[in-house]
Amino acid sequence: MSEEEPPVKKQRTDLGNSSNCYTNTIEEAEMAKKSENGDTGEIDEGLYSRQLYVLGHDAMRRMQLSNVLIAGMKGLGVEIAKNVVLGGVKSVTIQDDDTVQWADLSSQFFFRESDIGKNRAEVTLPQLAELNSYVPCSCHTGALDDAFLKKFQVVVLTNTSLDEQIRIGELCHKNNINFIVAETRGLAGMVFCDFGDEFVIQDVDGEQPISNMIADVDSEGVVTCLDESRHGYEDGDYVKFSEVQGMIELNTAKDPFKIKVLGPYTFSIGDTSMFSNYQRGGIVTKVKMPKTMKFKSIKEALNVPEYVMTDFAKFDRPGQLHMAFQAVHQYVKKKGELPRSRNKDDATVFLEVVKNVNESSEAKCDLDDNLMREFSYGARGDLCPMAAVIGGITAQEVMKACSAKFSPVNQFLYFDALECLPDDCDTVLTEDLCKPQQNRYDGQTGVFGQNFQKKLEGLKYFLVGAGAIGCEMLKNWAMMGLACGEGGKVYVTDMDIIEKSNLNRQFLFRPWDVQKHKSSTAAEAAKRMNPSFNIVPQENRVGQDTENIYTDDFFEALDGVANALDNIDARMYMDRRCVYYCKPLLESGTLGTKANVQVVIPHVTESYSSSQDPPEKSIPICTLKNFPNAIEHTLQWARDTFEGEFSGPIQTANMYITDPKFMDRTLKLQGTQPIETLDTVKKVLIDNRPSSFEDCVKYARLLWEENYSNQIQQLLYNFPSDQKTSSGAPFWSGPKRCPHPLKFDSGNSVHLDFVVSAANLKAELYGVPQVRDRASVKSMVDKVVVPVFKPKSGVKISITDTELEAANSSNGSFDTEQVQRLKDVLPKPSSIKVLNAIDFEKDDDTNFHMDFIVATSNLRAENYDIPPADRHKSKLIAGRIIPAIATTTAMVVGLVCLELYKIVQGHTKLESFKNGFCNLALPFFAFSEPIAAPKNKYYETEFTLWDRFEIEGEMTLQDFMNHFQDQYNLEITMLSQGVTMLYSFFMQPAKLEARLKQPLSELVKQVLKKKIPPHVKALVLELCCNDRDGEDVEVPYVKYILPAH
């Protein structure tokens, strides 16, 4: 892996009028030369790390052998090119022989108003080349002749006539060049793929192969898995075996076994009667088998199309759009231009053309005249969100063609979002409102009209997060003109700074932006795309601690919120805020090639928090401590070890040093906790304090011995390898793998990795000068004398978490004398310096964190004969990295912005909105109506999570209760604010009498023992009520609006 940053590109300014133009620096020339020779070197894991977890090293290397041509540099073309360049192919050439027009600026984010009249490809090239210095970029402004096309492994056409598509498609099919067509027309888009007669897919879905532990294999070949979970296989899958005892022929079989599923825990592999008898153990793992696909050329496929469904609610839509996209080319051929926006005469002509195309086609279908007219009305439209959706999908198809990873589109994909139009579009939208105005929004007003554009420009939106989704969102908003007019404003907040690994998908950032703040850098980049963009970058966390910044006034002024977050807690907090202030929320997320969109509409849909994924299955503590059986277990154990050695106890000791109330709080803890806490402080500050680096090496060597020899010897002393359970079964069987102790060898690189990393981390804690030279550390560790260990009898080792909890709960009580002894030996806090507690950081390869994790995990894996994990896989699991790729992000944000159009239109019908789940690897798309907000009822009054009682003006508690009794016939039995009880029916009479007379705001201050912050305009009060029959009844909360304070 390259240790240096990729060279920063310097752009040519003298592109001139040549038909070919190239990026031109010494670094690029060298890089291009290496690419031509197939010598692309190692993959830069620092840059591509998140994408590598999606594609893998092999697929990335195959991508680095592909030269890609993308023809047409309008909004769709540049979106595809941007994603492909970020992805890291061998080279990208962009082609366009036309000039920048006003309508292009609504979706082509590299164009400026000053570029009108210049060649599209030449304007695009310098900015495209900045995205990834590992991908040489060039442009071509001439025609697409045969000799030129044959230079490429992938050809993509985006703004080309149908005749040209067929000509080039036939050439590519005959010459085994992967061929893709992509188009958008207003609110409709399409993708076509032809990857030749024999396209071999190495991995159809990108999922990790499923492994299961084996309970039994009988002589008829029926395999039974341990019933901890279903095996997850399907008929026709192939599997391989390992670690099977007895029937060893399964382990050594040359070919994988094809299976037939018999049940959730059983499957058959065929006759095994000739094999040895099965004894025990074994792991079965699914084998990814290559799949071959045969594609038709576009000329042939037009008459016998196959479709990938994008929306099952529009089952008849692909066939009709198939005709419409062909007809629009015929219309241009006939008229010399596209149908004019909202022009009824042109739509009538288009309808005749599409009917003729349909009649003469072998793929004839029933046409909806209204649908065809809408297609005609919007054909001149060029929308950034549509370019993002189709561009994200198409760029992923390019990567599939280059890498043979994931299943390609077979062969046509059609998508539309006509729900974005107003309900009464025939009356609201006129030809006059949609006419070009010679401004940057012409491509959008051609679809939605000028009144809608003004509405967009005046919006106030809050974007939470400026990472991958945030960058794409700002690009779309700048192009759409959201908050780009009078009164409009976008607030974007993100606490993070830019890291090198962000550059691969957060495309508003460049190498020279590393270590700058994300929000301000993204805001500047978006403002360069559209100088009218009114954007305010902030670096605040969203949460209760910033409610003095994001106040009632702030939220009430907003038109909506978009989340671009990477954690559930922040998402749920923003969801609660949006429900409270009745603001629409746009929610989205990605995981590799998977993505989801959820739109939350006040008084219409449920909220984000209304439904949640089940919690991730946690690893039992006893499995981690004594019985690991997978690399995930050893990596979690390594993370726990890291926290236990270099973070948690150090922070406890620092609290002793810095917090005057630490001792008082510690002595109030239950049971043995005071002794354990003070003992931890003593160990950190006295017992384990090194005075030299040699001490740090000694610590590391003894820790190695304890972890990988002593503990294992003790475990085997308690449970020998031939131990039997009470039922006579082997103790070490099923998920329990029998371990063996390791013997330290400083000549073993993994053993030395552990010592070097642990010693240097220990030195960092205490400010001891580090020693990074491995030979020096080896010399030191060889001199360490290690005490001989003998297992002890009477040591209790818990087998289950239940046993462990019982053992922990029965541990001792408070020992005053022992606590005093510990207090007496601790040094005075004022006499000690604060230690350097270490927070785990996975992406810095110089800080020893991942070195320690990898060595710690793999040594434990060796103890238990678990296959080790390399650094790349270890970082994914231990660092809890979310795999990510630019294509998915681009697509999902496009989908989010289509939902935003609907919100701005004022749609309130559920069926107008689309929640979506997509997986570009398969490819799979599923859209559904959002779920309606569930309704509750008291008496005859229905309410949802969006409703509340609103009370304005101060009331005493008695008046408040009377109000509910008189107004709603509800008897309040309990009243609370947050976690604080203000009233309950079982309250002591004296306390109750005093409280009933108090104004509610005063009562809250008294009970909370603090003032209500001046930015708080209302209190949220929760009620428990009885109805007139004395039955509990669920009611909304109360928004108690405070008098000015």
Side-chain angles (χ1 to χ4, degrees), residues 925-985:
F925 303 87
F927 294 99
S928 61
E929 289 178 13
I931 297 172
K935 290 180 179 177
N936 291 308
K937 201 173 185 182
Y938 64 93
Y939 297 128
E940 295 306 310
T941 304
E942 286 188 336
F943 67 95
T944 71
L945 74 158
W946 298 98
D947 296 308
R948 74 288 311 267
F949 296 112
E950 284 200 11
I951 292 182
E952 191 163 1
E954 190 72 276
M955 281 186 179
T956 64
L957 176 56
Q958 183 68 66
D959 292 340
F960 182 85
M961 295 177 68
N962 292 343
H963 173 76
F964 274 84
Q965 186 70 62
D966 301 339
Q967 197 81 13
Y968 304 107
N969 207 1
L970 293 170
E971 178 196 355
I972 296 174
T973 55
M974 281 191 276
L975 176 67
S976 61
Q977 200 268 325
V979 295
T980 307
M981 185 68 71
L982 302 178
Y983 163 79
S984 67
F985 66 89

Side-chain angles (χ1 to χ4, degrees), residues 207-408:
E207 299 296 328
Q208 285 295 313
I210 304 167
S211 287
N212 288 283
M213 290 185 179
I214 298 167
D216 183 52
V217 186
D218 68 19
S219 60
E220 294 178 358
V222 175
V223 180
T224 305
C225 298
L226 287 178
D227 59 359
E228 289 188 327
S229 61
R230 295 165 178 262
H231 55 58
Y233 300 136
E234 296 176 4
D235 274 349
D237 282 349
Y238 287 80
V239 297
K240 63 181 180 181
F241 294 84
S242 60
E243 302 182 32
V244 174
Q245 295 179 39
M247 199 180 283
I248 57 171
E249 294 88 348
L250 294 178
N251 301 330
T252 55
K254 285 184 181 178
D255 299 319
F257 296 86
K258 188 175 182 179
I259 70 168
K260 179 176 175 57
V261 171
L262 303 175
Y265 308 103
T266 56
F267 59 87
S268 169
I269 56 171
D271 184 18
T272 55
S273 58
M274 302 299 289
F275 294 173
S276 311
N277 288 333
Y278 174 81
Q279 292 175 6
R280 61 174 171 155
I283 295 170
V284 59
T285 304
K286 182 177 174 177
V287 176
K288 292 289 186 83
M289 302 298 285
K291 177 184 175 183
T292 302
M293 284 182 71
K294 179 179 172 63
F295 290 83
K296 303 179 188 77
S297 71
I298 189 169
K299 185 177 181 180
E300 184 185 353
L302 281 168
N303 281 316
V304 280
E306 292 182 71
Y307 305 122
V308 171
M309 288 300 300
T310 55
D311 189 341
F312 290 94
K314 302 175 178 178
F315 207 75
D316 62 342
R317 198 63 60 89
Q320 296 191 71
L321 291 175
H322 186 63
M323 296 305 156
F325 272 94
Q326 292 176 71
V328 83
H329 289 287
Q330 296 295 339
Y331 183 99
V332 172
K333 207 171 174 181
K334 181 177 178 179
K335 292 279 194 174
E337 62 177 355
L338 288 163
R340 286 166 291 179
S341 298
R342 289 283 147 190
N343 182 287
K344 293 183 178 178
D345 293 338
D346 286 4
T348 301
V349 175
F350 177 78
L351 190 57
E352 287 304 312
V353 173
V354 77
K355 284 178 178 176
N356 290 336
V357 169
N358 190 43
E359 283 300 322
S360 59
S361 172
E362 293 175 32
K364 184 179 175 182
C365 66
D366 293 331
L367 294 177
D368 178 337
D369 288 5
N370 290 331
L371 175 65
M372 294 301 108
R373 285 185 182 278
E374 281 302 341
F375 186 94
S376 173
Y377 289 152
R380 289 197 180 198
D382 193 355
L383 305 173
C384 192
M386 282 300 299
V389 173
I390 300 300
I393 295 169
T394 306
Q396 190 66 60
E397 295 307 303
V398 173
M399 293 185 190
K400 292 173 187 178
C402 299
S403 67
K405 178 102 177 201
F406 307 140
S407 301

